[in-house]
Amino acid sequence: MILLTAQNISKTYMERKVLDDVSFFLNEGDKVGMIGINGTGKSTLLKILAGAEEPDSGDIIRTNGIRISYLPQIPEFGSSGSILEQVLLHLPKDLRQAKEYEARSILEKLGISDQERDISTLSGGEKRRAGIAAALIQPSDVLLLDEPTNHIDNVTAQLLEDLLMKYRGAIVMVTHDRYFLDKICSRIVEVDKGKLYPCDGSYSDYVLQKAQREADAEAAERKNRSLYRRELEWISRGARARGTKSKDRIERFEALKNRDIPVAAEKMQLQSVSSRLGKKTIEIENISKSIDGKPLITDFSYIVSRDARIGIVGMNGAGKSTFLKMITGEVSPDKGRIVLGDTVNIGYFSQECETMDPSVRVIDYIRETADIVRTPDGTVTAAQMLERFLFNSELQWNRIEKLSGGERKRLYLLKILMTAPNILLLDEPTNDLDIATLTILEDYLESFSGAVIAVSHDRYFLDKTANEIFEFRNGSCTRYNGNYSDYAERASVTYSDTQKTKKKGEKKERVYTGKTRLKFSFKEQREFDTIDDVIAGLEQQIADTEKEIASNSSDYVKLQELSDKKEQLEQELSEKMERWVYLNDLAERIARGELV
């Protein structure tokens, strides 16, 4: 049964059309994940589905009696009142008492045990967890979640995952957490350039299907280019005589000439931009730190290697961000000291993100840091770097006030990388960044020549980037070798049935792929070397046959023989042309070193 339908929805924000005549349906029991680059309209569509915002045009049709529970990116609570009161606030009064036990249970599971605390004292992560509890206790047939895993720790993300697996209604959620999408969703919808692109299956299925679609489109275009070149040569040789060119073939040439060329998907490109790092990096000597009498770290020492890849995990409030701030000098340790090498240039991506002047243009914001940066491929201007970060020329001259929250995060990340750091400190970099940006950031970190220390709740991100995990818990920091999956096994973290990409497994997969370099067989090579002459010979035979037909127009028996001969030659030529396209496409793939 269809619970919810959006028909021909359009929405424009500040002259940007984020949704362009899109339609969407939600069946009973559907689990839908919405993905896409920041600023493409995911949150806007969710608000429209929830009834929190109206479209400029189009209709939302909800089944009679349908109940919708909505978690916005920023949960809405009063300025004061206990956590429990605020979580129960949006329930009908006659339901509040009946739902109190369930609310307390969910809050406890999400790590909020003191439910009488005033809501105003909660951190961003705690408010997010209270918002999740408020959404889950609402009697609902449809659950709409906007970035539910933002600002929550790894264990809470796992608990939320378990709760949603048990939810019997339909779910639509915007999230960049790839393990989360894979575990929960049965349908993925990509939002891109105002349009929706649905895909049945999990996130892994979506990645495979999208890669296959792009590969098929690229292969088809390669074949069309090869065929067009051949037909262009044929057309360019000129008419040997009137009627020697097949009408069908000329029409095929025109169709190839005027074909719609598939537009390659925009991909953010990052080259490593870093300065030289000397032998001395960061030396942490017996540091201790407490806040309001609560110990966060005690007598901890460590020397950061030049190529360190450290992931930091722990519950909210355990001291992860404080640790990074002590390295930057923003916060001082109570005891011990942190010494930085003379060549250290820290790039610090803070969780809060710096305050941006909304009236400043995007390109001017980047030029404040650098107008030109040096990369392994040469110098790159600020405008070119913005292009590579998916800020096209139109967006570059927009004011920052027109950017979405995720776009501002992406801009902030670019500004940090423009400073050419040789040590990166990343505090929850996956919050508000879209999957496309995260994927390229992960690839960038693989080639980054300096050290990386990242606080993150994103298990996928830590599996890809970290080779050592620091766990902050109960005032101490414990070190584990390996990525997040390795840590989860050793530390017995609540972490069930997620896709585990262990380093050893990754290495084995890279060493043995079962693939070899693509190459011609002996027969194909001989055919490739001679096929041009064969085609030319067939074309000449067709031309000669057409001349014979013209000179024997009164001999009907001979004319029939010649017509049959021409038809057979044209069939052979068509087959050889198809073969020529295949062999030339294969030659291009061999030249690129593709594997099979």
Side-chain angles (χ1 to χ4, degrees):
M1 182 177 72
I2 295 179
L3 300 177
L4 184 63
T5 303
Q7 292 181 340
N8 309 113
I9 300 297
S10 293
K11 185 71 177 180
T12 300
Y13 274 128
M14 302 179 77
E15 301 176 1
R16 289 177 64 186
K17 197 158 195 175
V18 292
L19 296 172
D20 183 10
D21 194 32
V22 301
S23 296
F24 172 83
F25 68 91
L26 186 68
N27 284 315
E28 194 173 6
D30 277 354
K31 303 290 188 291
V32 182
M34 283 193 179
I35 62 174
I37 295 169
N38 291 135
T40 53
K42 304 184 298 295
S43 295
T44 299
L45 180 56
L46 211 63
K47 289 176 184 176
I48 290 172
L49 295 177
E53 200 164 301
E54 292 297 322
D56 296 336
S57 62
D59 299 301
I60 301 294
I61 302 169
R62 301 177 180 90
T63 300
N64 287 337
I66 187 176
R67 299 168 300 177
I68 296 176
S69 182
Y70 170 53
L71 172 69
Q73 279 196 37
I74 302 174
E76 298 174 357
F77 293 116
S79 57
S80 62
S82 74
I83 299 169
L84 183 63
E85 287 172 354
Q86 291 294 315
V87 166
L88 296 170
L89 188 63
H90 298 293
L91 286 174
K93 289 184 179 180
D94 58 334
L95 269 180
R96 290 179 190 175
Q97 186 173 356
K99 286 284 185 175
E100 182 176 331
Y101 175 79
E102 183 182 350
R104 288 186 182 277
S105 176
I106 292 175
L107 285 168
E108 188 73 38
K109 287 179 180 177
L110 294 175
I112 301 178
S113 53
D114 184 2
Q115 295 146 16
E116 302 307 320
R117 282 171 59 194
D118 194 274
I119 196 78
S120 63
T121 66
L122 299 188
S123 65
E126 289 171 324
K127 281 187 178 178
R128 165 65 48 162
R129 283 180 277 165
I132 290 169
L136 290 177
I137 65 165
Q138 289 279 344
S140 62
D141 307 294
V142 177
L143 195 54
L144 304 178
L145 305 172
D146 197 353
E147 297 289 5
T149 61
N150 267 6
H151 307 288
I152 62 175
D153 54 67
N154 310 69
V155 175
T156 307
Q158 174 65 56
L159 289 168
L160 176 59
E161 189 177 281
D162 294 339
L163 288 169
L164 293 182
M165 288 289 290
K166 297 172 184 175
Y167 181 73
R168 294 188 177 183
I171 298 174
V172 183
M173 63 179 174
V174 173
T175 182
H176 58 259
D177 190 318
R178 287 153 286 186
Y179 280 158
F180 208 74
L181 285 167
D182 231 10
K183 191 71 178 294
I184 295 171
C185 296
S186 56
R187 180 152 57 103
I188 302 294
V189 174
E190 181 179 11
V191 186
D192 185 31
K193 297 184 179 67
K195 299 296 184 181
L196 303 187
Y197 300 92
C199 168
D200 289 332
S202 66
Y203 177 74
S204 293
D205 296 324
Y206 155 79
V207 171
L208 290 173
Q209 290 181 37
K210 183 174 183 180
Q212 187 61 52
R213 284 198 309 271
E214 291 177 351
D216 290 346
E218 183 182 350
E221 177 55 22
R222 283 201 308 269
K223 290 180 180 180
N224 284 332
R225 283 199 304 268
S226 295
L227 188 56
Y228 177 72
R229 285 199 304 269
R230 181 71 201 180
E231 296 295 276
L232 182 60
E233 290 174 8
W234 183 78
I235 288 285
S236 300
R237 286 201 292 267
R240 298 185 183 89
R242 185 177 300 276
T244 59
K245 287 185 172 63
S246 162
K247 180 182 177 182
D248 290 341
R249 193 166 177 185
I250 292 173
E251 289 176 352
R252 181 170 67 177
F253 170 78
E254 291 298 327
L256 284 167
K257 180 181 177 182
N258 299 317
R259 72 191 186 278
D260 290 330
I261 297 174
V263 179
E266 287 185 300
K267 292 180 181 176
M268 193 173 71
Q269 303 171 358
L270 255 103
Q271 287 111 345
S272 182
V273 182
S274 61
S275 51
R276 188 186 70 84
L277 180 61
K279 291 183 179 180
K280 185 174 181 179
T281 57
I282 300 173
E283 296 181 358
I284 301 169
E285 301 175 359
N286 306 108
I287 64 168
S288 296
K289 182 68 180 178
S290 298
I291 293 181
D292 297 330
K294 177 185 176 182
L296 301 178
I297 190 168
T298 306
D299 196 27
F300 180 72
S301 298
Y302 187 80
I303 297 176
V304 178
S305 65
R306 294 170 62 182
D307 60 350
R309 293 293 185 272
I310 300 168
I312 300 179
V313 300
M315 298 289 286
N316 289 340
K320 306 183 299 293
S321 297
T322 302
F323 178 67
L324 295 190
K325 289 176 181 177
M326 284 193 284
I327 294 175
T328 65
E330 187 177 332
V331 172
S332 299
D334 298 335
K335 295 180 181 179
R337 63 176 189 159
I338 297 175
V339 182
L340 306 184
D342 294 336
T343 60
V344 167
N345 179 20
I346 290 177
Y348 176 41
F349 182 91
S350 70
Q351 188 174 165
E352 295 83 9
C353 189
E354 71 178 17
T355 302
M356 297 178 178
D357 184 344
S359 65
V360 171
R361 298 187 188 277
V362 169
I363 193 163
D364 293 330
Y365 174 78
I366 292 299
R367 283 175 173 167
E368 289 173 2
T369 301
D371 197 25
I372 294 176
V373 293
R374 297 188 182 276
T375 75
D377 296 334
T379 59
V380 181
T381 66
Q384 289 170 326
M385 286 296 283
L386 281 164
E387 285 278 356
R388 292 171 180 181
F389 262 59
L390 305 182
F391 291 100
N392 59 31
S393 54
E394 181 183 349
L395 275 177
Q396 291 178 25
W397 293 99
N398 275 350
R399 300 186 187 279
I400 288 174
E401 64 186 358
K402 293 187 177 182
L403 300 183
S404 69
E407 286 174 319
R408 294 187 190 195
K409 278 274 189 175
R410 193 193 316 149
L411 185 64
Y412 175 49
L413 174 62
L414 173 57
K415 183 173 184 178
I416 289 164
L417 297 180
M418 291 283 282
T419 64
N422 48 36
I423 293 182
L424 278 172
L425 305 182
L426 306 174
D427 193 358
E428 296 291 3
T430 62
N431 281 348
D432 301 314
L433 288 184
D434 54 71
I435 291 174
T437 307
L438 287 175
T439 301
I440 301 302
L441 175 59
E442 288 158 0
D443 292 340
Y444 171 82
L445 294 180
E446 280 189 14
S447 61
F448 182 67
S449 57
V452 180
I453 305 175
V455 172
S456 180
H457 66 269
D458 190 316
R459 299 160 290 177
Y460 189 99
F461 178 80
L462 292 176
D463 270 345
K464 282 204 71 175
T465 59
N467 56 28
E468 189 171 9
I469 299 293
F470 288 4
E471 183 192 29
F472 280 69
R473 182 188 288 185
N474 299 327
S476 65
C477 177
T478 307
R479 292 161 44 199
Y480 298 84
N481 288 325
N483 61 12
Y484 184 84
S485 292
D486 298 319
Y487 150 76
E489 282 189 355
R490 295 173 191 168
S492 299
V493 172
T494 306
Y495 182 55
S496 62
D497 296 326
T498 49
Q499 299 178 30
K500 299 182 180 181
T501 55
K502 296 184 181 180
K503 291 291 181 182
K504 290 181 181 178
E506 288 177 353
K507 185 176 181 182
K508 184 176 180 181
E509 188 176 339
R510 284 194 291 268
V511 173
Y512 174 70
T513 63
K515 294 184 178 183
T516 58
R517 282 193 178 279
L518 189 65
K519 64 180 181 179
F520 279 129
S521 67
F522 177 75
K523 183 179 178 181
E524 286 172 334
Q525 183 66 60
R526 286 186 60 190
E527 187 180 9
F528 179 68
D529 292 339
T530 60
I531 196 166
D532 281 319
D533 293 336
V534 173
I535 289 174
L538 286 168
E539 289 175 338
Q540 185 60 50
Q541 289 182 61
I542 291 171
D544 293 342
T545 303
E546 287 176 338
K547 288 179 183 178
E548 287 189 68
I549 289 172
S551 61
N552 289 278
S553 57
S554 59
D555 188 343
Y556 293 107
V557 175
K558 182 69 173 178
L559 193 61
Q560 184 62 50
E561 291 176 359
L562 291 171
S563 295
D564 291 343
K565 180 182 177 182
K566 181 190 173 188
E567 185 177 343
Q568 183 179 350
L569 288 169
E570 287 179 338
Q571 178 63 33
E572 288 182 38
L573 178 61
S574 177
E575 291 171 359
K576 288 296 180 184
M577 288 295 293
E578 289 294 324
R579 190 65 180 165
W580 184 91
V581 170
Y582 167 76
L583 292 170
N584 275 267
D585 177 52
L586 184 57
E588 289 182 14
R589 294 169 62 198
I590 290 170
R592 289 197 300 271
E594 287 190 18
L595 303 177
V596 290

